PDB file of all heavy atoms in Angstrom:
ATOM      1  N   HIS D 199       6.861  82.225 -29.300  1.00  0.00           N
ATOM      2  CA  HIS D 199       5.547  82.594 -28.782  1.00  0.00           C
ATOM      3  C   HIS D 199       4.848  81.334 -28.293  1.00  0.00           C
ATOM      4  O   HIS D 199       4.531  80.442 -29.083  1.00  0.00           O
ATOM      5  CB  HIS D 199       4.722  83.293 -29.849  1.00  0.00           C
ATOM      6  CG  HIS D 199       3.363  83.669 -29.370  1.00  0.00           C
ATOM      7  ND1 HIS D 199       3.164  84.534 -28.308  1.00  0.00           N
ATOM      8  CD2 HIS D 199       2.139  83.277 -29.765  1.00  0.00           C
ATOM      9  CE1 HIS D 199       1.872  84.659 -28.092  1.00  0.00           C
ATOM     10  NE2 HIS D 199       1.234  83.912 -28.957  1.00  0.00           N
ATOM     11  N   ILE D 200       4.612  81.271 -26.971  1.00  0.00           N
ATOM     12  CA  ILE D 200       4.046  80.058 -26.375  1.00  0.00           C
ATOM     13  C   ILE D 200       2.535  80.005 -26.569  1.00  0.00           C
ATOM     14  O   ILE D 200       1.835  80.996 -26.359  1.00  0.00           O
ATOM     15  CB  ILE D 200       4.373  79.990 -24.856  1.00  0.00           C
ATOM     16  CG1 ILE D 200       5.887  80.038 -24.625  1.00  0.00           C
ATOM     17  CG2 ILE D 200       3.773  78.730 -24.235  1.00  0.00           C
ATOM     18  CD1 ILE D 200       6.276  80.177 -23.157  1.00  0.00           C
ATOM     19  N   LEU D 201       2.055  78.850 -26.975  1.00  0.00           N
ATOM     20  CA  LEU D 201       0.611  78.625 -27.057  1.00  0.00           C
ATOM     21  C   LEU D 201       0.244  77.633 -25.963  1.00  0.00           C
ATOM     22  O   LEU D 201       0.740  76.510 -25.943  1.00  0.00           O
ATOM     23  CB  LEU D 201       0.244  78.099 -28.442  1.00  0.00           C
ATOM     24  CG  LEU D 201       0.550  79.108 -29.551  1.00  0.00           C
ATOM     25  CD1 LEU D 201       0.656  78.447 -30.903  1.00  0.00           C
ATOM     26  CD2 LEU D 201      -0.504  80.200 -29.578  1.00  0.00           C
ATOM     27  N   ASN D 202      -0.614  78.092 -25.043  1.00  0.00           N
ATOM     28  CA  ASN D 202      -0.997  77.264 -23.894  1.00  0.00           C
ATOM     29  C   ASN D 202      -2.398  76.704 -24.072  1.00  0.00           C
ATOM     30  O   ASN D 202      -3.222  77.298 -24.752  1.00  0.00           O
ATOM     31  CB  ASN D 202      -1.010  78.121 -22.617  1.00  0.00           C
ATOM     32  CG  ASN D 202       0.372  78.634 -22.266  1.00  0.00           C
ATOM     33  OD1 ASN D 202       1.354  77.905 -22.358  1.00  0.00           O
ATOM     34  ND2 ASN D 202       0.440  79.893 -21.861  1.00  0.00           N
ATOM     35  N   ASN D 203      -2.651  75.615 -23.395  1.00  0.00           N
ATOM     36  CA  ASN D 203      -4.018  75.072 -23.275  1.00  0.00           C
ATOM     37  C   ASN D 203      -4.728  74.872 -24.603  1.00  0.00           C
ATOM     38  O   ASN D 203      -5.892  75.224 -24.742  1.00  0.00           O
ATOM     39  CB  ASN D 203      -4.891  76.015 -22.405  1.00  0.00           C
ATOM     40  CG  ASN D 203      -4.181  76.408 -21.132  1.00  0.00           C
ATOM     41  OD1 ASN D 203      -3.542  75.566 -20.500  1.00  0.00           O
ATOM     42  ND2 ASN D 203      -4.253  77.681 -20.775  1.00  0.00           N
ATOM     43  N   PRO D 228       2.169  72.872 -23.757  1.00  0.00           N
ATOM     44  CA  PRO D 228       2.513  74.193 -24.283  1.00  0.00           C
ATOM     45  C   PRO D 228       3.546  74.026 -25.404  1.00  0.00           C
ATOM     46  O   PRO D 228       4.411  73.167 -25.316  1.00  0.00           O
ATOM     47  CB  PRO D 228       3.152  74.897 -23.078  1.00  0.00           C
ATOM     48  CG  PRO D 228       2.655  74.165 -21.887  1.00  0.00           C
ATOM     49  CD  PRO D 228       2.464  72.749 -22.319  1.00  0.00           C
ATOM     50  N   TYR D 229       3.405  74.825 -26.444  1.00  0.00           N
ATOM     51  CA  TYR D 229       4.369  74.726 -27.552  1.00  0.00           C
ATOM     52  C   TYR D 229       4.542  76.098 -28.178  1.00  0.00           C
ATOM     53  O   TYR D 229       3.790  77.026 -27.875  1.00  0.00           O
ATOM     54  CB  TYR D 229       3.905  73.691 -28.588  1.00  0.00           C
ATOM     55  CG  TYR D 229       2.632  74.036 -29.301  1.00  0.00           C
ATOM     56  CD1 TYR D 229       2.659  74.657 -30.557  1.00  0.00           C
ATOM     57  CD2 TYR D 229       1.390  73.757 -28.738  1.00  0.00           C
ATOM     58  CE1 TYR D 229       1.482  74.991 -31.213  1.00  0.00           C
ATOM     59  CE2 TYR D 229       0.219  74.087 -29.388  1.00  0.00           C
ATOM     60  CZ  TYR D 229       0.272  74.709 -30.627  1.00  0.00           C
ATOM     61  OH  TYR D 229      -0.891  75.043 -31.266  1.00  0.00           O
ATOM     62  N   GLN D 273      12.187  73.938 -20.501  1.00  0.00           N
ATOM     63  CA  GLN D 273      11.226  75.002 -20.198  1.00  0.00           C
ATOM     64  C   GLN D 273      11.154  75.994 -21.353  1.00  0.00           C
ATOM     65  O   GLN D 273      12.178  76.519 -21.786  1.00  0.00           O
ATOM     66  CB  GLN D 273      11.704  75.720 -18.921  1.00  0.00           C
ATOM     67  CG  GLN D 273      10.728  76.740 -18.375  1.00  0.00           C
ATOM     68  CD  GLN D 273       9.501  76.083 -17.747  1.00  0.00           C
ATOM     69  OE1 GLN D 273       9.623  75.085 -17.040  1.00  0.00           O
ATOM     70  NE2 GLN D 273       8.326  76.622 -18.019  1.00  0.00           N
ATOM     71  N   LEU D 274       9.959  76.233 -21.878  1.00  0.00           N
ATOM     72  CA  LEU D 274       9.798  77.199 -22.967  1.00  0.00           C
ATOM     73  C   LEU D 274       9.838  78.622 -22.418  1.00  0.00           C
ATOM     74  O   LEU D 274       9.355  78.884 -21.327  1.00  0.00           O
ATOM     75  CB  LEU D 274       8.474  76.967 -23.703  1.00  0.00           C
ATOM     76  CG  LEU D 274       8.240  75.585 -24.299  1.00  0.00           C
ATOM     77  CD1 LEU D 274       6.941  75.563 -25.096  1.00  0.00           C
ATOM     78  CD2 LEU D 274       9.402  75.147 -25.183  1.00  0.00           C
ATOM     79  N   LYS D 275      10.419  79.525 -23.217  1.00  0.00           N
ATOM     80  CA  LYS D 275      10.533  80.922 -22.785  1.00  0.00           C
ATOM     81  C   LYS D 275       9.795  81.799 -23.789  1.00  0.00           C
ATOM     82  O   LYS D 275       9.964  81.640 -25.001  1.00  0.00           O
ATOM     83  CB  LYS D 275      12.030  81.292 -22.758  1.00  0.00           C
ATOM     84  CG  LYS D 275      12.361  82.623 -22.145  1.00  0.00           C
ATOM     85  CD  LYS D 275      13.887  82.757 -22.097  1.00  0.00           C
ATOM     86  CE  LYS D 275      14.392  84.101 -21.655  1.00  0.00           C
ATOM     87  NZ  LYS D 275      14.066  85.217 -22.538  1.00  0.00           N
ATOM     88  N   GLU D 276       8.957  82.694 -23.263  1.00  0.00           N
ATOM     89  CA  GLU D 276       8.154  83.569 -24.127  1.00  0.00           C
ATOM     90  C   GLU D 276       9.042  84.664 -24.725  1.00  0.00           C
ATOM     91  O   GLU D 276      10.009  85.117 -24.110  1.00  0.00           O
ATOM     92  CB  GLU D 276       7.016  84.193 -23.303  1.00  0.00           C
ATOM     93  CG  GLU D 276       6.072  85.120 -24.055  1.00  0.00           C
ATOM     94  CD  GLU D 276       5.295  84.462 -25.187  1.00  0.00           C
ATOM     95  OE1 GLU D 276       4.739  83.373 -24.973  1.00  0.00           O
ATOM     96  OE2 GLU D 276       5.232  85.043 -26.288  1.00  0.00           O
ATOM     97  N   GLU D 284      -0.208  88.654 -34.030  1.00  0.00           N
ATOM     98  CA  GLU D 284      -0.866  87.387 -34.305  1.00  0.00           C
ATOM     99  C   GLU D 284      -1.754  87.410 -35.539  1.00  0.00           C
ATOM    100  O   GLU D 284      -2.169  86.379 -36.030  1.00  0.00           O
ATOM    101  CB  GLU D 284      -1.672  86.955 -33.073  1.00  0.00           C
ATOM    102  CG  GLU D 284      -0.765  86.730 -31.884  1.00  0.00           C
ATOM    103  CD  GLU D 284      -1.516  86.390 -30.619  1.00  0.00           C
ATOM    104  OE1 GLU D 284      -2.761  86.481 -30.627  1.00  0.00           O
ATOM    105  OE2 GLU D 284      -0.866  86.038 -29.628  1.00  0.00           O
TER     106      GLU D 284
HETATM  107  C1  LIG K 405       1.802  80.339 -21.380  1.00  0.00           C
HETATM  108  O1  LIG K 405       2.270  79.843 -20.141  1.00  0.00           O
HETATM  109  C2  LIG K 405       3.539  80.312 -19.780  1.00  0.00           C
HETATM  110  C3  LIG K 405       3.946  79.653 -18.494  1.00  0.00           C
HETATM  111  O2  LIG K 405       3.594  78.309 -18.492  1.00  0.00           O
HETATM  112  C4  LIG K 405       3.526  81.805 -19.632  1.00  0.00           C
HETATM  113  O3  LIG K 405       4.820  82.269 -19.353  1.00  0.00           O
HETATM  114  C5  LIG K 405       3.052  82.435 -20.915  1.00  0.00           C
HETATM  115  O4  LIG K 405       2.916  83.808 -20.761  1.00  0.00           O
HETATM  116  C6  LIG K 405       1.728  81.846 -21.352  1.00  0.00           C
HETATM  117  N1  LIG K 405       1.412  82.373 -22.663  1.00  0.00           N
HETATM  118  C7  LIG K 405       0.230  82.773 -23.032  1.00  0.00           C
HETATM  119  C8  LIG K 405       0.107  83.309 -24.413  1.00  0.00           C
HETATM  120  O5  LIG K 405      -0.726  82.723 -22.282  1.00  0.00           O
END
Side-chain angles (χ1 to χ4, degrees):
H199 179 61
I200 303 172
L201 297 160
N202 295 318
N203 312 318
Y229 65 96
Q273 187 72 42
L274 303 185
K275 189 175 173 296
E276 181 62 47
E284 298 176 352

